[in-house]
Amino acid sequence: MLKVLRPLATLIEGFIDRIGGLTAWIALVMIGLVATNVVLRYSFSFGSVWAQELEWHLLAALILLGMSHALQRGENVRVDLFYARYSPAAKRVVDVVSALLLIAVSLGFIWLSLGYVEQSRSISEASADPGGIPLRWLVKALIPLGYGLLVLQQLAHLVRLLDAPLNAVEESSHV
């Protein structure tokens, strides 16, 4: 059964990789924007509410879109003090339970954020500051999108984890 899901897991992982590439570009744009804002503010006494808000919106995109890619690559923070001493079977159990819990929490975030995004969209929420960014619901929509990517990534991880031989758990555990 899991062998049938391998191509789907590969497709999801490829999609998450492309999202990771997008987040790298977002980070580069954000660095350029922050540097430009600093130079303009301190050299020419020129500031823009819109540009400052854009920094925060890009940071939100970077985090929410990048978290699934970071988790896929194993670049998340994990406490290995106990985990490193577990047997491969115990590691597999921990990894499966962790993935299932992360899926449950992510689905909760998605469920709770949908109303939040819809409310923002329905009132055409915009920045309260003059010269701020309109359509604030677009950045809020990154919340369910980011957690949806996290669910997809964890489902692909579960397929790989449950389909792998027991001794391969040590090399491939990401959560």
Side-chain angles (χ1 to χ4, degrees), residues 100-113 147-148 151:
L100 292 173
L101 285 173
L102 185 54
I103 289 170
V105 168
S106 296
L107 290 172
F109 272 103
I110 292 167
W111 176 254
L112 292 172
S113 67
Y147 282 98
V151 168

Side-chain angles (χ1 to χ4, degrees), residues 18-153:
R18 286 190 293 284
I19 295 295
L22 173 66
T23 59
W25 283 106
I26 291 171
L28 186 63
V29 168
M30 189 174 151
I31 290 167
L33 179 63
V34 169
T36 302
N37 283 342
V38 168
V39 167
L40 290 174
R41 187 176 313 119
Y42 292 107
S43 297
F44 302 104
S45 296
F46 177 77
S48 166
V49 172
W50 187 87
Q52 282 184 317
E53 287 185 2
L54 184 59
E55 290 175 15
W56 287 100
H57 290 199
L58 289 174
L59 180 62
L62 182 70
I63 292 167
L64 290 166
L65 297 177
M67 63 186 174
S68 59
H69 187 256
L71 197 57
Q72 179 190 55
R73 299 293 179 155
E75 295 175 4
N76 54 307
V77 175
R78 174 177 64 212
V79 179
D80 287 335
L81 180 65
F82 300 108
Y83 184 86
R85 296 181 185 156
Y86 290 168
S87 69
K91 286 180 180 181
R92 182 180 292 221
V93 169
V94 168
D95 289 344
V96 168
V97 169
S98 296
L100 292 173
L101 285 173
L102 185 54
I103 289 170
V105 168
S106 296
L107 290 172
F109 272 103
I110 292 167
W111 176 254
L112 292 172
S113 67
L114 289 175
Y116 177 67
V117 173
E118 176 53 29
Q119 179 185 19
S120 179
R121 189 205 58 79
S122 70
I123 63 171
S124 298
E125 184 180 5
S127 173
D129 296 318
I133 296 179
L135 302 176
R136 186 162 281 173
W137 68 270
L138 286 173
V139 76
K140 290 181 177 185
L142 291 172
I143 299 169
L145 177 62
Y147 282 98
L149 292 171
L150 207 53
V151 168
L152 287 175
Q153 188 280 322

